[in-house]
Amino acid sequence: MSFGNRYTGLIHKYRDHLPVSDDTRIISLGEGNTPLIRLKNVPQWLKKDVDIYVKYEGLNPTGSFKDRGMTMAVTKAVEAGSKAIICASTGNTSAAAAAYAARAGIRAFVLIPEGKIAVGKLAQAMMYGAVTLQIRGNFDAGMELVKQVAEHVPVTIVNSINPFRLQGQKTAAFEIIEELGAAPDFHCLPVGNAGNITAHWMGYSEYFERGVVSQRPRMVGYQAAGSAPFMRGGPVAQPETVATAIRIGNPQSWEKAWELQKASQGWFDELTDAEILQAQRLLAMQEGVFCEPASAASLAGAMRDIRSGKIPEGSKVVCTLTGNGLKDPDTAISQCQSAVLETLDASLGEVEKSIVKHMQGL
Ligand SMILES: *Cc1c(COP(=O)(O)O)cnc(C)c1O
């Protein structure tokens, strides 16, 4: 046992790989270092000999991988003397921006689509004290407004077009390589703006170029069918999906994503909302891991491609679970119609009767 090795966030851990100096004041909430959980029951259920790991990014401080990027973006904004940050968001970027701004003592402005963000994310933005601007428009409209307004007022954009975001997010690939001792064969992610898949490829490539690993994974990006510009070959005007975190019609990292798809010999695909929700439920019920709907697109897609053989048996697959299931309790509860939820009198007789009934066949 060694003592006193307190984990203090990904910038401290990976500072040699990140654009910070010894004088940089680091704004951190202990993000990163998330569990890489090996699935036990899903591969059995699939009847396939594959090694599936989920990288549970929902255990970051604000419950999504956005914290990896935000620690860097806010650290650099503060270093540059910025007093305010701004982002458009489907929810998780606004939660992370709000939290790191609070930590840094600066102001956060967040533009969110009215009525289209999960309730937990709205609670976070408000609780952390961001100025929360609900627009009558979708993420893409908000993103355009953010770019325009930042030309008029002194605010730093912390969307993934801010290059420091991807620098922070690439560290997830470092962690995976360090845990597995190699890169996986396939890395599957949900894709919205495609910043995260780009950041992972950067991370894998940096360790590859330094000779830490001899191979990089094939990168696989999954979109929701109603919001799948990479499948349509261009922007989608009115994206729609239950997976609100990837309800994005005009991805900001379009070129980079196509480049890495080709370079890694990976692919993009799309899933229906029903497939996404089924995978979310399966992961919770079979493995005890609760992610938000968008996150489940990675596993839903991987399962389909494993079944079809596109991802062959013997492969090592990592699926990124981008956000925590607790962010979106409404969607979770609405799909648990067949869950066991009984209302009883507060009597020993009734409680015992129910337990005995549900113990049958165990
Ligand atoms: C932001 C986000 C995504 C999409 O990531 P991109 O970098 O925009 O592709 C997916 N899932 C969740 C939960 C997110 O918050």
Side-chain angles (χ1 to χ4, degrees):
M1 271 306 252
S2 68
F3 296 95
N5 296 324
R6 197 168 74 88
Y7 180 82
T8 52
L10 61 85
I11 299 182
H12 280 118
K13 176 150 187 211
Y14 294 110
R15 60 184 319 144
D16 294 348
H17 301 267
L18 293 168
V20 289
S21 73
D22 290 347
D23 302 330
T24 306
R25 177 184 154 216
I26 295 170
I27 312 298
S28 171
L29 292 165
E31 59 293 313
N33 196 25
T34 55
L36 185 65
I37 303 166
R38 187 167 181 225
L39 299 189
K40 297 267 179 220
N41 299 317
V42 167
Q44 270 181 24
W45 182 81
L46 283 169
K47 299 196 178 63
K48 292 283 189 182
D49 175 24
V50 281
D51 228 1
I52 310 176
Y53 297 84
V54 291
K55 180 73 167 158
Y56 195 12
E57 292 286 279
L59 292 190
N60 274 296
T62 79
S64 87
F65 75 84
K66 299 299 198 302
D67 294 341
R68 290 183 187 271
M70 207 54 74
T71 185
M72 271 304 300
V74 173
T75 291
K76 296 303 282 187
V78 168
E79 186 174 61
S82 184
K83 297 274 183 289
I85 57 174
I86 189 167
C87 65
S89 179
T90 58
N92 282 331
T93 300
S94 61
Y100 285 81
R103 181 81 168 171
I106 61 173
R107 174 131 298 175
F109 296 96
V110 305
L111 272 72
I112 55 171
E114 186 191 20
K116 291 291 184 179
I117 85 165
V119 66
K121 303 175 188 181
L122 181 61
Q124 287 180 293
M126 294 168 71
M127 192 72 191
Y128 294 129
V131 177
T132 306
L133 307 172
Q134 305 195 69
I135 59 163
R136 294 183 202 93
N138 60 24
F139 169 85
D140 303 296
M143 191 67 243
E144 286 315 308
L145 287 166
V146 162
K147 288 180 184 170
Q148 288 167 14
V149 81
E151 291 181 8
H152 300 282
V153 289
V155 289
T156 303
I157 299 176
V158 294
N159 281 102
S160 55
I161 57 172
N162 176 324
F164 300 119
R165 278 275 310 275
L166 302 194
Q167 287 292 321
Q169 285 168 217
K170 76 184 180 187
T171 59
F174 296 165
E175 290 176 13
I176 291 164
I177 286 173
E178 286 160 25
E179 284 205 42
L180 295 179
D185 301 306
F186 296 88
H187 190 134
C188 304
L189 297 107
V191 167
N193 276 309
N196 207 28
I197 196 168
T198 301
H200 277 78
W201 182 245
M202 280 169 53
Y204 284 122
S205 297
E206 285 184 22
Y207 268 16
F208 176 71
E209 278 145 25
R210 283 173 184 237
V212 180
V213 286
S214 57
Q215 255 164 307
R216 292 178 289 184
R218 297 174 76 170
M219 304 298 294
V220 188
Y222 296 110
Q223 301 216 280
S227 178
F230 284 100
M231 302 306 292
R232 306 287 102 81
V236 171
Q238 302 289 343
E240 213 40 87
T241 171
V242 70
T244 50
I246 51 173
R247 187 172 168 273
I248 290 165
N250 188 17
Q252 298 297 307
S253 293
W254 178 260
E255 300 290 340
K256 289 193 193 108
W258 281 117
E259 281 165 24
L260 76 87
Q261 177 270 322
K262 287 188 197 88
S264 78
Q265 297 178 286
W267 61 87
F268 295 111
D269 207 343
E270 62 189 300
L271 295 129
T272 64
D273 282 1
E275 287 174 299
I276 289 170
L277 293 177
Q278 192 209 359
Q280 184 197 19
R281 189 99 193 277
L282 184 79
L283 197 54
M285 304 269 298
Q286 298 286 319
E287 304 280 1
V289 178
F290 187 19
C291 67
E292 66 171 285
S295 311
S298 61
L299 182 69
M303 289 196 306
R304 186 208 277 158
D305 288 334
I306 288 166
R307 274 210 193 89
S308 75
K310 198 167 179 182
I311 294 177
E313 290 203 74
S315 296
K316 198 170 274 187
V317 182
V318 171
C319 295
T320 296
L321 301 181
T322 44
N324 197 302
L326 292 171
K327 296 250 188 192
D328 191 355
D330 297 332
T331 304
I333 290 172
S334 70
Q335 60 162 318
C336 287
Q337 305 305 345
S338 60
V340 180
L341 175 66
E342 297 174 0
T343 307
L344 312 174
D345 289 335
S347 85
L348 176 61
E350 285 223 11
V351 172
E352 189 176 331
K353 199 171 79 190
S354 173
I355 290 172
V356 168
K357 181 176 79 188
H358 291 294
M359 295 275 292
Q360 275 169 17
L362 286 186

